Amino acid sequence: MSPTTDVAPGARPDYPQMLGHPRPLWMLFMTEFWERFAFYGMRWALTLYIVAEFFGGDPSGQAYASRTYGAYLALVYAAAVFGGYVADKVIGYQRSILVGAVVMAVGLFMIMWPSEPVFLLGLATVIVGNGLFKPNISSMVGQLYLQGDPRRDRGFTLFYMGINGGALVAPLLTGWMAAHFTDTPMQQNYKLVFLASGIGMLVSLAWFLVGRRQLKGVGRPAPDQASRARVAWVLVGCVLAAPLVYLLMAKAGAIFLQWLLTVMFVGLSLMLLVEGIREGRVQRDRVIAMLLIFAFNVLFWMFYEQAGSSFNFLAQNIVDRRMFGGWEFPVGWFQSVAPLAIVLLAPLVSIAWGLLDRRNAEPSIPRKFGLGLLFNALAFTVLMYALSSLVDAGGLIPFWPLVLVYVLQTVGELCLSPIGLSMVTKLAPVRMVGFAMGGWFLSTGIGNNLSGIFAGHVSGETGMTVASALSGFTFSFWLLVIPGALLFLVAPLINRLMHGVR
């Protein structure tokens, strides 16, 4: 356990159980539900809003919007490195989550202002707050279980349902809001979307503030970190950090940001390796295994996160969304397909892993990651088929291929993402779990920035076409299927480095 708690290392409070898991899991579940409601409620609208508000709806703005979106997501996850460090070394997990929730809420309300600099500064504020919130609530889930507890992976899968419950409800509600208020310009409707997201973040803050006593001390600051002055200094740091993040998004550009994130990842990896070496050969090998899996994680998210950029423009311009009675399926609702599939499939996946475990047949962590990459690749084969064989006279593809893409990517996500969260809590050096969780999110962030760069190429200077989409998504397939197969081949080597961790 991290030293930022007043519970003895290796011990856990005697939590009441609920549905086979510690009761605080469900409090963290709902806190994350509302934070994800806030995050995903506005995420789907970002690229569409940028084109509508700052480019007057001109398709030439798609590439800029995609790169901005990718940089935003990348910095959201990169900020988790610093958030994990703040929790480990400065103010503890609980206080980091509370401060992060407050800062995120402020940023979400800021992006309603119809000015590009204020909009980008609001996104930067969301990034800083999310960096404090996201890695630390995930780390706290791991702290509810003793090392070696077989329920830990299943607990993370259930927690992942909370993430995706919020991600499911938010686009349905905010997508309906954007489509319903038809007598106003679309960019005004998107501002209602941002307002709903800010309110959701306030609900998340209240939920954790009231429910954190259930944790019985887990995640509280260590005695030498208990001063409230430390919290004040962290808030000052947030105020200073937001303009710096703004400059990275608005001025530096996606390529510079990619180099910066790569340097950060190398530095983080070296720090984790040094700590692993200090703890001995077994911990060193486990850190190496964790970092290898982080590298494959980059590729998964590079193409999964087309959902908020190139897939959005695909849905808006190349998918036939006409339904019965002339009703048109809202673009934002596509973003609810993946979380709906996760909510439906996550319990089944959790049960399946449990049944396979009892038969000593559960896939290893590396092979679960390989499955994630291969299902993601399979999703792109659907798009390749649709864009080459199903385009109608109006230049549109049917509705169902894009829906199926989201479902297949979801299966891959369930094989990879919740397992990755659990993996970090099992493989990271005991004194740097929060920092290592930040590394997990940094690898996701690198993938997200690459996703924006890639989506910008798919759209080009004049907007997405059927030909540019087909070319780009064919490239996506090959860059997923080859590493996925490779990961299956090297899985035994990685398993040996993990020294019995499953």
Side-chain angles (χ1 to χ4, degrees):
M1 179 180 292
S2 164
T4 57
T5 174
D6 57 8
V7 179
R12 293 293 183 278
D14 185 17
Y15 290 124
Q17 301 295 296
M18 182 176 177
L19 300 179
H21 291 270
R23 183 175 293 174
L25 173 68
W26 305 103
M27 182 274 293
L28 297 175
F29 175 105
M30 288 306 300
T31 301
E32 182 72 343
F33 173 95
W34 284 107
E35 186 271 336
R36 291 292 90 180
F37 176 95
F39 187 83
Y40 285 96
M42 61 87 170
R43 167 182 169 270
W44 71 267
L46 287 179
T47 53
L48 303 178
Y49 174 75
I50 290 170
V51 173
E53 179 71 47
F54 306 127
F55 288 85
D58 192 318
S60 65
Q62 290 181 13
Y64 170 80
S66 294
R67 289 192 294 268
T68 301
Y69 172 79
Y72 162 70
L73 284 185
L75 289 166
V76 160
Y77 289 107
V81 175
F82 301 101
Y85 182 85
V86 168
D88 280 337
K89 306 296 184 184
V90 184
I91 60 173
Y93 289 91
Q94 290 191 24
R95 289 180 173 180
S96 295
I97 290 167
L98 290 170
V99 172
V102 170
V103 174
M104 275 189 74
V106 171
L108 288 166
F109 290 121
M110 286 176 65
I111 63 177
M112 296 174 61
W113 193 260
S115 160
E116 186 172 3
V118 176
F119 172 79
L120 293 174
L121 184 60
L123 287 183
T125 305
V126 173
I127 288 166
V128 173
N130 196 265
L132 286 168
F133 187 103
K134 181 65 177 169
N136 296 317
I137 196 165
S138 299
S139 294
M140 290 202 66
V141 173
Q143 294 181 26
L144 300 179
Y145 300 89
L146 289 168
Q147 191 71 22
D149 189 331
R151 299 176 301 164
R152 184 189 292 233
D153 277 5
R154 297 190 283 280
F156 269 101
T157 300
L158 292 170
F159 176 70
Y160 212 63
M161 286 180 62
I163 294 175
N164 287 279
L168 164 64
V169 173
L172 291 177
L173 175 61
T174 59
W176 173 83
M177 291 171 65
H180 180 72
F181 293 98
T182 55
D183 294 333
T184 57
M186 201 63 191
Q187 56 265 39
Q188 299 299 325
N189 297 356
Y190 292 139
K191 290 169 188 173
L192 291 173
V193 169
F194 303 152
L195 174 64
S197 294
I199 293 171
M201 195 64 235
L202 293 178
V203 174
S204 175
L205 169 63
W207 202 287
F208 186 77
L209 188 64
V210 172
R212 62 182 177 145
R213 65 190 62 180
Q214 297 179 27
L215 295 166
K216 298 184 176 180
V218 168
R220 290 181 61 186
D224 63 336
Q225 301 172 355
S227 168
R228 292 185 179 179
R230 286 176 171 249
V231 178
W233 281 113
V234 170
L235 283 169
V236 170
C238 292
V239 172
L240 296 176
L244 295 176
V245 175
Y246 163 82
L247 290 174
L248 285 173
M249 268 199 309
K251 307 298 182 183
I255 301 300
F256 175 84
L257 181 58
Q258 190 61 40
W259 281 104
L260 177 62
L261 294 173
T262 301
V263 170
M264 286 176 58
F265 184 77
V266 171
L268 176 142
S269 300
L270 290 174
M271 292 175 69
L272 289 172
L273 275 173
V274 168
E275 182 66 22
I277 292 168
R278 184 179 293 122
E279 293 188 18
R281 182 181 65 87
V282 170
Q283 186 58 67
R284 178 205 64 195
D285 289 352
R286 287 174 174 172
V287 169
I288 292 171
M290 182 175 66
L291 294 175
L292 287 171
I293 292 175
F294 282 3
F296 287 97
N297 189 52
V298 169
L299 279 176
F300 180 87
W301 293 103
M302 175 178 175
F303 297 108
Y304 183 92
E305 275 302 341
Q306 297 305 305
S309 51
S310 67
F311 287 1
N312 244 359
F313 296 122
L314 184 77
Q316 186 182 51
N317 302 311
I318 300 179
V319 172
D320 186 355
R321 295 181 285 114
R322 292 170 297 176
M323 300 287 118
F324 47 85
W327 176 70
E328 191 169 72
F329 189 87
V331 171
W333 284 16
F334 281 103
Q335 304 296 312
S336 287
V337 175
L340 174 61
I342 285 180
V343 169
L344 294 176
L345 295 175
L348 300 178
V349 171
S350 181
I351 291 169
W353 294 151
L355 291 173
L356 289 170
D357 178 59
R358 285 197 284 274
R359 299 179 181 180
N360 293 319
E362 184 176 1
S364 64
I365 290 173
R367 287 203 164 131
K368 287 177 181 176
F369 270 71
L371 287 171
L373 290 169
L374 293 176
F375 273 106
N376 201 350
L378 184 60
F380 281 94
T381 64
V382 175
L383 284 178
M384 290 160 60
Y385 170 70
L387 290 165
S388 61
S389 304
L390 301 179
V391 181
D392 65 16
L396 301 178
I397 64 172
F399 174 84
W400 65 264
L402 186 55
V403 173
L404 182 57
V405 164
Y406 281 114
V407 173
L408 289 170
Q409 285 192 322
T410 295
V411 177
E413 183 183 2
L414 280 171
C415 292
L416 178 146
S417 195
I419 305 307
L421 295 173
S422 179
M423 173 198 72
V424 172
T425 66
K426 292 187 284 189
L427 293 180
V430 70
R431 297 194 305 169
M432 300 184 75
V433 173
F435 190 63
M437 190 66 76
W440 163 258
F441 289 118
L442 176 59
S443 70
T444 303
I446 292 172
N448 288 334
N449 191 59
L450 289 170
S451 80
I453 295 171
F454 174 73
H457 284 297
V458 173
S459 288
E461 296 302 321
T462 58
M464 180 184 293
T465 64
V466 170
S468 69
L470 177 59
S471 173
F473 298 150
T474 301
F475 174 80
S476 304
F477 166 77
W478 289 111
L479 206 56
L480 284 165
V481 74
I482 294 173
L486 176 64
L487 189 49
F488 261 82
L489 292 176
V490 301
L493 170 62
I494 297 176
N495 286 331
R496 285 197 292 273
L497 289 171
M498 293 166 73
H499 290 279
V501 168
R502 298 179 58 201

